[in-house]
Amino acid sequence: MKTSRRDFIQKASLFTGVFTLGFDWFSADASAMEVVASTGRFNAFLSIDNLGKIILYSPNPEIGQGIKTAFPVVVAEELDVDWAQVQVEQANLDTKQFERQLTGGSGALKHSWDRLRKAGATVRKMMMQAAADQWKVDIAKTKTSKGFVLGPAGQKASYGSLAEAASKLPVPSEVTYKDRKDYKIIGTRVKGVDNKNVVTGKPLFGIDIRKPGMVFAQIVRPPFGATLKSFSADDVKKMPGIIDVVSFKNKVAIVGSTTYAILQARASLRCDYSSDAPLESTETHQKWFDEGMKSDKAQVMRKDGDFSAAIAKAVKVVEATYECPFISHSPMEPMNFFADVQKDSVLLAGPTQVPQPAQKAVSDLLKIPVEKIQLEISKMGGGFGRRLNNDFVLEAAELSSIIKKPVLVMWTREDDMTGGIYRPAARYHFKAGLDASGEIIAFYLRGVGINAGNSTRQDNFPVGAIENVLIESFDQKSAVTTGPWRAPITNFLGFAEQAFLDEVAELAGKDPIQMRLALLEKVKTKPVGKITYEPDRFEEVIKQVAEKAQWKKKPGVHQGFSVYYSHLSYVAQIAEVKVENGKPKVTKVTAVTDCGEVVNLSGAENQVKGAIIDGMGHAMFAKLSFQAGVASPNNFNTYRLIRGNEIPVIDAHFVNNGIAPTGLGEPALPPTGGSIANAIYAATKKRQYKQPFS
Amino acid sequence: MAINCTVNKKKVSLDIDPNTPLLWALRDHLSLLGTKYGCGIAQCGACTVWVNGEPMRSCVLPISAVSNAQITTIEGLDPAGKHPVQVAWDELDVPQCGYCQAGQIMTAAGLLKNNPHPTDQEIVDGMSGNICRCGTYHRIQEAVKLASKKIKK
């Protein structure tokens, strides 16, 4: 991280009349900012022209998390303009102007909060200074409102009228931020900046990209672990609308002038594969889980005290095993990407969560310097982590370089579901020992993942409150490709932990909420080892959700509790289940979230509700299995996603304590499986150990 | 032989394979990109358009079946975005990623055309054929209700 960089570089250009201000996202102290007047739009973050037109450039890829709205909200607030005055534009990849130009880890607002505020507040102060100079008054006597500077004698000047003068001023080294009680935009309901374009069907997505001379292509990929031996392309090449059939890296690409022509050609393409070893099946994966659980090669992720000694002394012991399959991300927009590879330059365009690594990977592949690779960021039709892996970008670039044409590579739904990058399959074994008073004295977890890396989160609560802890992880390598899936690892581990704690509480004869509160009290008074969470914030969401959902105070309603800390945010949930015709039905989920300052209440509610629906749908329905290296099912007729007639009422609350904002795209998902499983147990006395629930 | 039909009130002639699904005719031949591909097997509803005023899944409908038909896509619903369903969708801030919403809106507008004042259950049932992977279902249902109120006025 650069910290020594000078605060501002300033250039003025009188003839353009455009005043643009950007800042360096790489800077650790958020001080490296630039004022650059220019006619170009991509070297800058915020622009104000003489006519008062304010454009805010949103650098991070929009995937449905609302960042294209949330970032400009923060800048506009500190700039002190009316939201209606602001125009928002998606910035393309620009590694000189922006840092962390990516979507993932629910980290954007956490990273950029101070930078965004500073960007707005700095320009506001420069506008005030320009007005003060013009009116020959002290800047302290000026104030701002809705894009105007107001003077002590009733003077009033618009930002537009001050833009040129302000652009020539030295940049203030210090600025003050608004008191949050004065916020006019932050914390309100701000509608998505793309809404109008969405509801009128404008081409916004990767699949909608059209460029001169462009052709379409689809790629046939081998089963996982297989090698392409041969393929029959002669007949396919003669089919109408087919331009070419080429092969690279075990794949066969069919290039055509229309999607339908390619779809028909695919039906006639025959590919033969071979493999050195037997291809993987779900049975293989089950065997690996069994072996991984017994293996003496598991990695110790955390050790507090002496688990073995403590469990031997325990009066009561509870253990349970949880398991989840590989699952597909299945964003509504299947993978796709555009590439136009010229002799010494490349144009890439489309939906990726990580444009900079995409640029770098294409540079490495084609031996073309990154400076010669331009990347246009399109809106993404969902991603859920799938678009963190740039395999589809590389395929498009490689194909374009082979056929020497601009090409849009499209994945069918079947390609998308069988072509790889899954949430890793995992199995977890928990064991806890209680003393005579029901206190947890020993806690053990082993995670066995398949291409999961560390399948545990070894510092997760209740670790920190227990004297003797052992957390182990075992990773099995596989030909099946995996990657982050919304709330990586914790999307299932969260369920397993919270379901297990419910069993522990039952064995200890304690209320699940009271047990958590007692454990958090221990963390405060007698912490064990490294503590990565704030117990007070944990407690607050727990207490609030118990009150709002009337925990155990609703006769005839079966409730389940969970609470989880991930991506620096805290979410407590209480799910409610009713038994209808002998079957449990989830009727309501109450969630209390502490993500610090709520920047956009509408977007925040959308994220919490969406994450709970996502978590519930996948907990209850989603399943893939493998046979001979091929995933099935391969489309939505058999891969079940949750629908509108299956959702519970969701009551979403926010602590909104003014702490700098933290992640919200993911944190409401991990606790969902747990709250629902625990409510189902309350209703049916049947525990859930597997995803999908039975 | 060319297939003649009307798309968003414009007469068009498609001289292409008559088995071409309407979705790909719209997207690849008529450059109407608002209608989305989601599954190709009529399961998700992202491709919903109106054929003679009825919501249909364009991904499985060959153009031979729409000869002389009146087709309406999201672009033709109201290009200014003033249809009550579009207004309600914006007002309640329904979209997250937005990809499925053209299909959702065409389904919702079709539902309200046939039944301007549906019950809550009719809304839930009428909209459950469309998948939203972001999980905007609550707001979809609320927005259909709001649009219904707007129609009443």
Side-chain angles (χ1 to χ4, degrees):
Chain A
M1 297 285 251
K2 287 178 274 182
T3 52
S4 59
R5 193 173 163 164
R6 65 186 156 159
D7 272 1
F8 287 89
I9 307 158
Q10 191 178 333
K11 295 173 197 161
S13 173
L14 294 171
F15 58 87
T16 62
V18 177
F19 170 41
T20 53
L21 189 134
F23 59 90
D24 188 335
W25 300 68
F26 287 90
S27 160
D29 59 3
S31 65
M33 307 183 71
E34 291 187 48
V35 177
V36 182
S38 91
T39 49
R41 286 183 172 179
F42 299 114
N43 60 354
F45 171 77
L46 180 170
S47 83
I48 303 176
D49 74 9
N50 292 341
L51 301 171
K53 184 169 161 185
I54 301 166
I55 303 176
L56 304 183
Y57 298 100
S58 192
N60 287 33
E62 174 62 55
I63 200 170
Q65 85 281 42
I67 207 69
K68 193 175 171 185
T69 307
F71 268 22
V73 159
V74 180
V75 179
E77 182 71 69
E78 291 294 346
L79 184 59
D80 206 22
V81 292
D82 246 3
W83 181 245
Q85 288 175 269
V86 165
Q87 187 180 325
V88 177
E89 289 187 12
Q90 176 72 54
N92 283 327
L93 177 61
D94 187 337
T95 53
K96 290 196 178 71
Q97 293 280 354
F98 303 121
E99 195 207 25
R100 206 186 180 284
Q101 205 174 354
L102 63 87
T103 291
S106 298
L109 267 169
K110 168 77 181 159
H111 174 269
S112 301
W113 171 244
D114 280 338
R115 292 162 166 83
L116 295 163
R117 289 197 298 167
K118 189 159 190 171
T122 302
V123 176
R124 174 174 170 265
K125 192 169 181 184
M126 292 167 82
M127 292 294 172
M128 289 160 72
Q129 188 63 58
D133 292 350
Q134 196 178 312
W135 301 332
K136 306 207 178 348
V137 298
D138 185 347
I139 188 173
K141 297 272 197 307
T142 65
K143 56 185 183 177
T144 58
S145 175
K146 298 179 178 185
F148 288 90
V149 182
L150 308 176
Q155 302 99 319
K156 187 174 180 182
S158 72
Y159 285 3
S161 71
L162 295 165
E164 195 172 317
S167 73
K168 294 173 194 163
L169 291 171
V171 174
S173 55
E174 280 184 27
V175 292
T176 48
Y177 299 135
K178 278 188 182 175
D179 191 313
R180 64 190 295 258
K181 72 173 167 32
D182 298 324
Y183 284 165
K184 294 183 182 71
I185 315 172
I186 289 176
T188 65
R189 294 177 179 276
V190 182
K191 297 185 288 189
V193 294
D194 281 335
N195 281 3
K196 285 271 162 61
N197 288 331
V198 166
V199 303
T200 51
K202 296 287 182 298
L204 301 168
F205 299 92
I207 190 180
D208 304 332
I209 289 168
R210 296 293 182 272
K211 304 272 186 188
M214 184 189 94
V215 295
F216 295 95
Q218 290 179 23
I219 293 175
V220 178
R221 299 170 188 83
F224 293 102
T227 306
L228 178 68
K229 211 165 67 182
S230 64
F231 64 99
S232 60
D234 294 349
D235 293 346
V236 177
K237 277 184 186 170
K238 287 178 207 146
M239 290 177 76
I242 297 305
I243 296 164
D244 209 347
V245 180
V246 299
S247 173
F248 61 98
K249 294 198 171 87
N250 280 319
K251 299 167 187 180
V252 180
I254 303 178
V255 184
S257 54
T258 66
T259 310
Y260 185 59
I262 298 170
L263 284 169
Q264 282 183 299
R266 279 186 79 161
S268 303
L269 180 75
R270 292 284 165 268
C271 294
D272 288 320
Y273 300 101
S274 64
S275 64
D276 299 335
L279 297 174
E280 289 172 34
S281 65
T282 296
E283 289 70 37
T284 320
H285 301 146
Q286 289 293 318
K287 189 167 78 69
W288 286 346
F289 282 148
D290 294 343
E291 290 167 0
M293 277 296 163
K294 291 182 212 137
S295 171
D296 56 6
K297 298 207 167 52
Q299 200 181 343
V300 174
M301 305 308 298
R302 177 156 174 157
K303 194 171 181 295
D304 296 322
D306 185 341
F307 170 78
S308 300
I311 199 80
K313 279 188 278 180
V315 176
K316 288 179 180 172
V317 173
V318 57
E319 53 190 316
T321 303
Y322 301 86
E323 192 181 304
C324 67
F326 292 98
I327 54 170
S328 155
H329 299 78
S330 291
M332 290 310 291
E333 180 191 18
M335 297 305 105
N336 62 79
F337 223 79
F338 171 86
D340 183 7
V341 177
Q342 302 285 333
K343 195 162 164 284
D344 53 7
S345 71
V346 182
L347 174 64
L348 302 170
T352 170
Q353 293 179 237
V354 277
Q356 192 179 354
Q359 183 192 50
K360 173 76 169 61
V362 170
S363 170
D364 292 346
L365 175 79
L366 301 175
K367 313 283 179 246
I368 293 174
V370 287
E371 300 76 37
K372 298 283 183 191
I373 299 173
Q374 190 190 337
L375 196 152
E376 298 172 0
I377 298 171
S378 72
K379 192 174 173 73
M380 286 179 271
F384 311 98
R386 176 62 183 87
R387 292 182 162 101
L388 286 166
N389 195 301
N390 283 315
D391 52 321
F392 52 90
V393 182
L394 285 168
E395 278 182 349
E398 186 156 8
L399 181 58
S400 176
S401 76
I402 293 167
I403 62 173
K404 302 196 174 0
K405 286 185 176 69
V407 63
L408 179 64
V409 176
M410 295 242 319
W411 296 46
T412 62
R413 174 58 56 195
E414 290 82 359
D415 293 336
D416 197 84
M417 220 173 270
T418 61
I421 313 298
Y422 301 98
R423 186 274 304 274
R427 184 185 284 180
Y428 293 102
H429 186 73
F430 287 87
K431 196 169 184 177
L434 308 179
D435 67 10
S437 62
E439 299 292 311
I440 308 172
I441 54 166
F443 187 80
Y444 172 80
L445 165 64
R446 174 175 287 202
V448 177
I450 302 177
N451 282 351
N454 173 16
S455 56
T456 72
R457 291 293 177 265
Q458 62 277 1
D459 300 323
N460 275 5
F461 174 78
V463 171
I466 300 164
E467 291 285 337
N468 305 289
V469 167
L470 181 61
I471 312 283
E472 301 170 329
S473 175
F474 181 88
D475 192 31
Q476 170 69 49
K477 293 293 160 218
S478 158
V480 176
T481 54
T482 63
W485 192 101
R486 193 180 198 174
I489 301 299
T490 60
N491 58 54
F492 181 74
L493 178 60
F495 149 72
E497 285 175 2
Q498 295 301 307
F500 183 66
L501 285 179
D502 212 60
E503 285 203 45
V504 173
E506 187 181 38
L507 185 73
K510 292 179 177 174
D511 174 80
I513 287 186
Q514 293 309 318
M515 184 183 82
R516 260 88 156 193
L517 291 173
L519 286 165
L520 286 163
E521 194 55 34
K522 270 191 168 174
V523 175
K524 288 200 274 189
T525 54
K526 231 182 120 190
V528 180
K530 185 171 88 170
I531 310 293
T532 57
Y533 49 85
E534 295 175 57
D536 288 336
R537 296 179 76 178
F538 246 124
E539 272 179 12
E540 186 61 26
V541 292
I542 294 171
K543 285 177 180 167
Q544 284 202 20
V545 83
E547 188 198 316
K548 298 209 189 289
Q550 297 179 277
W551 174 245
K552 297 284 163 76
K553 283 180 190 155
K554 294 166 88 174
V557 177
H558 306 283
Q559 294 177 318
F561 171 80
S562 72
V563 63
Y564 215 72
Y565 166 68
S566 69
H567 304 92
L568 306 173
S569 294
Y570 301 77
V571 183
Q573 291 182 5
I574 291 174
E576 298 182 1
V577 163
K578 282 183 186 156
V579 179
E580 279 183 11
N581 306 321
K583 281 187 179 167
K585 187 183 173 198
V586 184
T587 53
K588 186 175 179 182
V589 177
T590 304
V592 174
T593 300
D594 175 2
C595 58
E597 191 78 63
V598 173
V599 171
N600 175 6
L601 183 57
S602 178
E605 278 180 5
N606 254 344
Q607 288 311 301
V608 169
K609 291 187 178 185
I612 290 171
I613 290 171
D614 192 356
M616 174 173 161
H618 285 88
M620 300 190 74
F621 308 131
K623 188 181 186 177
L624 275 184
S625 58
F626 283 83
Q627 209 57 50
V630 178
S632 75
N634 65 10
N635 207 324
F636 295 143
N637 55 340
T638 39
Y639 188 78
R640 185 171 170 192
L641 292 180
I642 191 166
R643 290 176 182 267
N645 58 352
E646 295 167 320
I647 57 167
V649 171
I650 297 177
D651 197 6
H653 302 271
F654 297 90
V655 175
N656 206 4
N657 48 22
I659 295 170
T662 49
L664 199 53
E666 294 162 288
L669 192 149
T672 305
S675 68
I676 290 173
N678 296 340
I680 291 173
Y681 177 73
T684 65
K685 292 295 151 204
K686 187 170 177 246
R687 291 280 180 198
Q688 300 294 329
Y689 295 104
K690 280 190 180 176
Q691 198 185 84
F693 292 174
S694 55
Chain B
M1 212 178 71
I3 307 279
N4 297 303
C5 57
T6 306
V7 178
N8 299 335
K9 296 183 182 156
K10 264 192 248 168
K11 282 194 184 334
V12 301
S13 182
L14 290 162
D15 194 7
I16 57 175
D17 185 335
N19 293 320
T20 306
L22 177 59
L23 169 68
W24 299 115
L26 292 170
R27 290 186 58 87
D28 292 355
H29 297 278
L30 300 173
S31 297
L32 290 167
L33 299 167
T35 306
K36 294 295 188 267
Y37 165 76
C39 67
I41 56 167
Q43 291 294 309
C44 75
C47 66
T48 304
V49 300
W50 292 355
V51 177
N52 295 328
E54 288 299 315
M56 303 278 266
R57 301 293 163 91
S58 66
C59 71
V60 291
L61 192 66
I63 55 160
S64 59
V66 297
S67 183
N68 299 317
Q70 303 272 343
I71 293 152
T72 308
T73 71
I74 185 73
E75 290 94 339
L77 184 64
D78 182 342
K82 302 289 186 208
H83 186 283
V85 169
Q86 291 169 312
V87 174
W89 242 248
D90 177 48
E91 246 177 74
L92 294 184
D93 195 25
V94 174
Q96 286 188 31
C97 86
Y99 189 83
C100 74
Q101 300 296 352
Q104 303 277 5
I105 288 168
M106 293 310 286
T107 304
L111 171 74
L112 293 177
K113 193 153 57 71
N114 295 328
N115 179 7
H117 309 299
T119 63
D120 289 0
Q121 193 57 48
E122 284 171 339
I123 292 173
V124 169
D125 292 344
M127 297 305 299
S128 289
N130 289 60
I131 295 174
C132 171
R133 178 69 179 80
C134 298
T136 64
Y137 296 126
H138 293 102
R139 287 192 183 177
I140 285 172
Q141 292 163 11
E142 288 157 20
V144 176
K145 222 164 159 176
L146 178 62
S148 166
K149 281 189 196 138
K150 288 180 189 293
I151 290 169
K152 206 178 276 183
K153 277 178 201 164

